[in-house]
Amino acid sequence: MSVTSTLPEVDRLADELAPPAAGRRLTAKRRGPRLKPAKRVLLYVLLAALTLLIFVPFFWMVSSSLKHNNQVFSIPIQWIPTEFVWSNYVDIWTRIPLLTYLKNSLFLSVTITFLQVLTGSFAAYGFSKMRFKGRDVLFVIYIATIAVPWQAYMIPQYIMMQNAGLVNTHLSIILLQAFGAFGVFLMRQYYMTIPDELSEAARIDGLNEYRIWWRIILPLTKPALASLALLTFVSTWNDYMGPFIYFTSNDLWTVQIGLRSFVGQFDAEYAMIMTGSVISVIPIVIVFLLGQRFFIQGIATSGLKG
Amino acid sequence: MAIAATRAPVRPQSRARARRNALVGWSFILPNFIGFAVLTLIPMGAAFVIAFMEWDSYSPPEWVGFDNFERMLGNQSFWIALGNTAYYAAGHIPLTMLAALGLALLLNKRIRGLGFFRTTMFFPYITSLVAVAVVWNMLFNPTMGPINQFLEWIGVQDPPGWTTTSAWSMPAVIITSVWRDMGYYMVLYLAGLQAIPQEYYEAADVDGANAWQRFWNITIPSLRPTTFFVLIMVTIASFKVFDLIVVMTDGGPGRATLVLSQLIYEEGITENRFGYSSAISLALFLIVLVFTVVQFRIQKRKED
């Protein structure tokens, strides 16, 4: 007995929503003819130019963060500071409560990621390996909501949160972002690629469904869990609109909100603004470099961000 | 265990078993579903109702029929925001898709350093949006910014004022958003390109097709499902643009870059006009829905 959907339309819909080549591992292309030397040189020149285009803003950001304010805008452009103003990286911590912002961002990102991965993979097991009435209808509802822009229902959410007294608490954003349909969808797409024989065999061996999930499916889908965790972490860390709407007091602010507010208040402190920007990006750079293949795999599978 | 092993293959499809199964199945879904239902499904349904009500935080909600929609259609800000959102989408959708496809084609080759280049192109996408917006805002500085210095250096007499002028602030936002998003959609195109069977190209080689013919007759048609998917995702993302605009221009100068999401935020959260802002939300939702359905239709017709 295979556990495919009772409604073929559900799988078709899920397939249509997932990018067509979902689940394929992106590889360096090992096939096809080698490029001719002239074309190869041209390609490298093009790629170098594009890399420059990507890196110039980052380079400018780091370079400006090490300048005095009046050196940031100069004619001609100073790519390397004449004098490295390292003190920017010391002073910023006292200019704005950056440490609090970082702590808040970290707390929200970790909590939301944990809940999203846990409830998402748990629900995905129900949607892919169990068979019961109403399952497929429910899954279609999940998928459909992914296409609805958040702006379409953020006002009722806000009213609910206001009535529950949760506006201006971290809990509001945790609740809003931890139970998204995205995690369920991403994990289900992975779980569908695991042969049902595996869970069938475990059932025959007397394992109950919860243990099958914990002992067999979870260990098998570690890359998927990593993808979901990283995508959720980064999108929570970078989220602006949610915290912007819900957090009014300064001590709840995330790095993004804090940075934006700093820019609004001291718009001539160019160097310090860049210092704050660099610091806000560093955690993401670390997370990204540690797990970049999971990011790219996660996107290639789901086609969605968190 | 021995008992379970002998019993399992018989598998009595009793009603009790089905009910047990449903119970266990629901128990898996429930932890997520409770949060999802309360915080996504209910608000979504409520948005449809609230849009037909006069409701602010001071007085109780009152049913007013289509009043909010009439007011919206007669409101200048709504039309400006709608126009700006369409402007943004008209720039962001095609440019992002072209850039993403171009990058994917370049990076689907057999060369050294492929991993490095792919990571690089993807990098802007994961960088925090506030940092991106702040940096580009400075790069776009009309008198001292690197971009205009570069433009003057290559001989542009009177470079644009970018985010300080109403004519050029939207292009500035679009350029930044394309720079940021192209690497993300590149990954989707790469996955699509790698799914094309190599045999197609070999067969074309045998028939003497040149690179251009191979691209138009094999690559583009084979990528159609990917293109369709990317188009839907970029469209949805374009219509709900918010963060980038709020941080880069805050809708200005004047209302030159005011978009629908921002209007919903201002009317709903800042002014507490829940009913009116829900009407705008509903309009935004309908626009996205119509676009998605039309694109699905076109895709279906091409498949047949």
Side-chain angles (χ1 to χ4, degrees):
Chain A
M1 177 175 91
S2 73
V3 193
T4 49
S5 304
T6 42
L7 294 166
E9 287 78 18
V10 174
D11 281 325
R12 236 190 40 225
L13 186 65
D15 285 345
E16 261 170 26
L17 278 161
R24 286 181 67 93
R25 195 164 279 275
L26 290 184
T27 50
K29 206 176 176 185
R30 296 257 175 267
R31 42 188 200 169
R34 280 186 161 275
L35 289 168
K36 291 192 189 94
K39 272 191 180 169
R40 179 180 292 264
V41 170
L42 190 73
L43 183 66
Y44 273 115
V45 170
L46 240 138
L47 286 175
L50 283 165
T51 307
L52 201 69
L53 190 75
I54 299 286
F55 273 130
V56 159
F58 290 110
F59 189 82
W60 199 78
M61 177 163 99
V62 174
S63 141
S64 304
S65 75
L66 292 167
K67 289 178 182 174
H68 290 294
N69 282 328
N70 55 9
Q71 291 172 326
V72 171
F73 291 113
S74 59
I75 297 175
I77 307 161
Q78 240 180 45
W79 289 106
I80 314 259
T82 44
E83 171 202 354
F84 286 83
V85 188
W86 294 105
S87 59
N88 284 343
Y89 281 86
V90 179
D91 296 344
I92 186 137
W93 303 93
T94 49
R95 289 299 303 277
I96 48 172
L98 193 59
L99 195 64
T100 311
Y101 299 156
L102 284 168
K103 273 189 205 154
N104 289 337
S105 283
L106 192 71
F107 169 70
L108 285 174
S109 301
V110 169
T111 313
I112 289 168
T113 301
F114 176 76
L115 287 172
Q116 168 88 86
V117 169
L118 187 73
T119 65
S121 66
F122 205 55
Y125 184 90
F127 278 124
S128 60
K129 300 291 169 207
M130 297 287 298
R131 206 188 195 4
F132 57 91
K133 225 176 160 186
R135 182 192 75 169
D136 295 326
V137 177
L138 198 61
F139 187 64
V140 170
I141 295 174
Y142 263 83
I143 296 180
T145 62
I146 295 178
V148 179
W150 182 50
Q151 282 80 352
Y153 55 98
M154 71 179 189
I155 301 294
Q157 270 181 346
Y158 186 79
I159 298 172
M160 280 171 62
M161 287 290 177
Q162 213 173 35
N163 286 330
L166 291 176
V167 170
N168 204 22
T169 64
H170 278 160
L171 191 58
S172 61
I173 290 296
I174 293 174
L175 288 174
L176 287 184
Q177 300 187 347
F179 304 102
F182 167 72
V184 179
F185 178 63
L186 179 81
M187 293 311 291
R188 181 203 179 257
Q189 291 304 100
Y190 272 99
Y191 284 6
M192 293 302 276
T193 64
I194 298 173
D196 289 326
E197 284 76 19
L198 229 64
S199 37
E200 288 295 311
R203 262 170 222 145
I204 291 168
D205 280 351
L207 254 65
N208 68 33
E209 301 293 334
Y210 306 104
R211 303 202 84 177
I212 297 174
W213 171 74
W214 178 249
R215 299 271 295 274
I216 296 173
I217 304 293
L218 267 194
L220 270 177
T221 49
K222 271 184 197 151
L225 294 172
S227 291
L228 178 60
L230 290 170
L231 288 169
T232 311
F233 185 92
V234 168
S235 71
T236 315
W237 183 276
N238 288 340
D239 184 29
Y240 181 77
M241 198 172 184
F244 180 68
I245 290 174
Y246 280 95
F247 304 154
T248 44
S249 39
N250 198 322
D251 55 337
L252 293 180
W253 283 358
T254 60
V255 173
Q256 311 301 332
I257 306 296
L259 188 62
R260 173 71 184 90
S261 147
F262 181 60
V263 176
Q265 275 179 306
F266 305 98
D267 59 348
E269 299 234 14
Y270 307 116
M272 203 66 101
I273 289 170
M274 289 295 104
T275 309
S277 302
V278 171
I279 293 173
S280 81
V281 173
I282 286 173
I284 291 300
V285 173
I286 295 169
V287 167
F288 177 62
L289 291 180
L290 287 178
Q292 50 137 322
R293 73 189 177 98
F294 295 115
F295 273 97
I296 294 189
Q297 209 51 46
I299 289 166
T301 301
S302 73
L304 299 163
K305 55 180 173 148
Chain B
M1 204 186 116
I3 298 165
T6 49
R7 210 184 263 167
V10 181
R11 209 174 278 266
Q13 290 291 337
S14 64
R15 205 171 295 165
R17 194 188 166 81
R19 209 172 59 203
R20 219 186 83 84
N21 225 357
L23 227 68
V24 176
W26 268 100
S27 74
F28 272 101
I29 293 167
L30 219 56
N32 187 280
F33 183 73
I34 293 172
F36 172 74
V38 172
L39 296 156
T40 302
L41 286 184
I42 293 176
M44 258 182 212
F48 281 90
V49 181
I50 298 173
F52 296 93
M53 287 177 166
E54 173 86 53
W55 188 0
D56 53 46
S57 50
Y58 312 107
S59 51
E62 186 193 343
W63 191 262
V64 291
F66 283 92
D67 279 11
N68 286 326
F69 294 93
E70 272 172 36
R71 203 173 121 205
M72 177 180 86
L73 295 176
N75 183 304
Q76 205 195 6
S77 282
F78 170 74
W79 291 106
I80 289 173
L82 183 64
N84 287 340
T85 310
Y87 181 7
Y88 175 81
H92 181 249
I93 296 170
L95 291 176
T96 305
M97 289 181 75
L98 276 176
L101 177 60
L103 285 179
L105 288 170
L106 287 180
L107 291 175
N108 195 36
K109 293 276 175 2
R110 222 178 129 176
I111 50 162
R112 269 176 205 280
L114 202 63
F116 167 77
F117 287 121
R118 282 183 188 164
T119 308
T120 305
M121 304 306 167
F122 187 69
F123 191 63
Y125 185 74
I126 56 117
T127 313
S128 79
L129 199 128
V130 175
V132 165
V134 168
V135 171
W136 277 88
N137 235 349
M138 290 198 185
L139 294 176
F140 276 125
N141 186 302
T143 48
M144 312 286 266
I147 290 174
N148 276 2
Q149 283 196 47
F150 175 76
L151 288 177
E152 277 167 12
W153 182 70
I154 62 167
V156 177
Q157 288 296 319
D158 190 20
W162 301 114
T163 50
T164 56
T165 56
S166 10
W168 283 97
S169 54
M170 192 56 97
V173 171
I174 291 172
I175 290 170
T176 310
S177 70
V178 172
W179 175 85
R180 183 179 129 89
D181 290 345
M182 61 187 182
Y184 170 74
Y185 296 103
M186 170 199 79
V187 174
L188 299 183
Y189 270 121
L190 268 175
L193 282 173
Q194 300 202 341
I196 304 175
Q198 194 60 26
E199 291 73 38
Y200 291 5
Y201 292 104
E202 282 157 14
D205 276 339
V206 172
D207 292 343
N210 63 30
W212 189 246
Q213 286 168 326
R214 285 200 302 267
F215 176 71
W216 274 112
N217 298 317
I218 300 172
T219 310
I220 292 293
S222 307
L223 276 181
R224 191 170 292 145
T226 308
T227 306
F228 166 68
F229 179 77
V230 171
L231 180 64
I232 300 238
M233 298 319 286
V234 186
T235 306
I236 295 175
S238 289
F239 277 102
K240 59 184 208 188
V241 61
F242 178 82
D243 333 30
L244 190 64
I245 297 221
V246 167
V247 183
M248 264 186 95
T249 65
D250 201 14
R255 286 183 289 189
T257 52
L258 176 77
V259 284
L260 284 175
S261 297
Q262 211 182 344
L263 194 64
I264 296 169
Y265 167 80
E266 278 169 11
E267 295 289 351
I269 314 281
T270 315
E271 305 288 337
N272 278 317
R273 294 185 195 122
F274 299 137
Y276 180 54
S277 61
S278 289
I280 306 172
S281 305
L282 214 56
L284 175 70
F285 171 65
L286 284 178
I287 293 168
V288 172
L289 186 72
V290 166
F291 265 85
T292 311
V293 168
V294 167
Q295 283 163 4
F296 258 99
R297 280 275 162 82
I298 293 171
Q299 167 73 2
K300 276 270 141 53
R301 196 172 301 158
K302 277 185 182 159
E303 269 174 10
D304 295 340

